[in-house]
Amino acid sequence: LQTNKLPLRDRDGKVTGVIGTYEDITDRKRAEKELRLTQFSVEHASGAVEWIDSQARIVYVNQAECLALGRSREEILSLTIHDIDPHFSKETWQTFWNELKTRGSMTFETQHQSKQGRTFPVEVNATFLEFDGQEYCFAFVSDITERRRAERELRLTKFSLENASVGVFWMDPEARFVYVN
């Protein structure tokens, strides 16, 4: 409960009682706790989170994005998406923004560049959101460097097996051929 109390005074200024109000703030306290938990979760998520406005300005990043880009939050918030993604020119951004607005959400691969100049592949799950009269791109960004490495190794293994000078086969537990080069 939240209470407010004021002294009730007579004409001489003597306190003769108390005027008070009270309000049940259980729901407000619960909502505040949920908001703090949401903010904490986003800030400490293992994946990068970005909020970008319609002009490609970065308006929020979590700690994971700061670490991935090797920059402070303040530094990133002074940048646009063009500064961290070499594939998003101003013209490309406007086309992307219009498509995101139309579709509502998109998943795609692109690249990000750290402050140190390292470029790395990322998968972006972007969602168009409108909040308090403003439009945003809310994006989860995942570094897919390891996935790309594993895909290359798998392609190389498949190529090697297909071009081996000897026969290679795999069989399942029931002695059926699963793979033959």
Side-chain angles (χ1 to χ4, degrees):
L1 287 180
Q2 178 177 332
T3 60
N4 292 310
K5 298 175 206 146
L6 295 171
L8 182 61
R9 300 179 188 273
D10 64 14
R11 291 183 190 188
D12 299 328
K14 181 178 174 190
V15 176
T16 59
V18 175
I19 298 176
T21 62
Y22 70 92
E23 178 184 3
D24 182 353
I25 59 171
T26 305
D27 289 341
R28 184 174 83 197
K29 288 292 187 183
R30 181 189 46 73
E32 289 171 354
K33 184 176 181 178
E34 288 174 2
L35 178 60
R36 286 192 316 274
L37 177 60
T38 300
Q39 290 171 326
F40 182 84
S41 299
V42 169
E43 183 58 31
H44 294 90
S46 60
V49 175
E50 302 172 347
W51 284 84
I52 306 161
D53 72 10
S54 62
Q55 303 303 306
R57 292 181 299 242
I58 301 167
V59 296
Y60 172 80
V61 292
N62 69 348
Q63 188 60 33
E65 182 70 334
C66 294
L67 292 171
L69 297 176
R71 297 176 183 264
S72 70
R73 176 170 288 127
E74 293 74 24
E75 186 177 4
I76 295 171
L77 296 181
S78 71
L79 303 175
T80 66
I81 197 66
H82 320 304
D83 298 315
I84 64 169
D85 189 328
H87 295 292
F88 269 117
S89 66
K90 290 181 181 181
E91 297 76 26
T92 305
W93 175 258
Q94 196 55 56
T95 300
F96 164 79
W97 185 262
N98 292 336
E99 186 174 352
L100 181 63
K101 257 180 101 165
T102 300
R103 291 175 61 183
S105 66
M106 297 168 55
T107 300
F108 58 95
E109 292 182 9
T110 187
Q111 293 188 351
H112 278 180
Q113 187 171 29
S114 72
K115 183 176 184 174
Q116 298 73 26
R118 179 180 79 89
T119 302
F120 54 97
V122 294
E123 179 179 81
V124 179
N125 293 299
T127 302
F128 175 81
L129 295 174
E130 225 174 304
F131 181 76
D132 276 352
Q134 298 289 321
E135 297 177 334
Y136 299 98
C137 170
F138 176 64
F140 290 102
V141 182
S142 302
D143 183 337
I144 58 171
T145 302
E146 186 57 32
R147 180 192 326 168
R148 289 276 177 90
R149 185 198 60 72
E151 289 169 350
R152 278 192 304 276
E153 286 182 10
L154 186 58
R155 284 191 306 273
L156 179 59
T157 300
K158 184 175 180 182
F159 176 81
S160 298
L161 288 172
E162 291 295 325
N163 294 292
S165 60
V166 296
V168 177
F169 63 90
W170 296 333
M171 297 178 80
D172 67 14
E174 286 80 38
R176 291 182 299 227
F177 288 100
V178 178
Y179 171 82
V180 177
N181 70 341

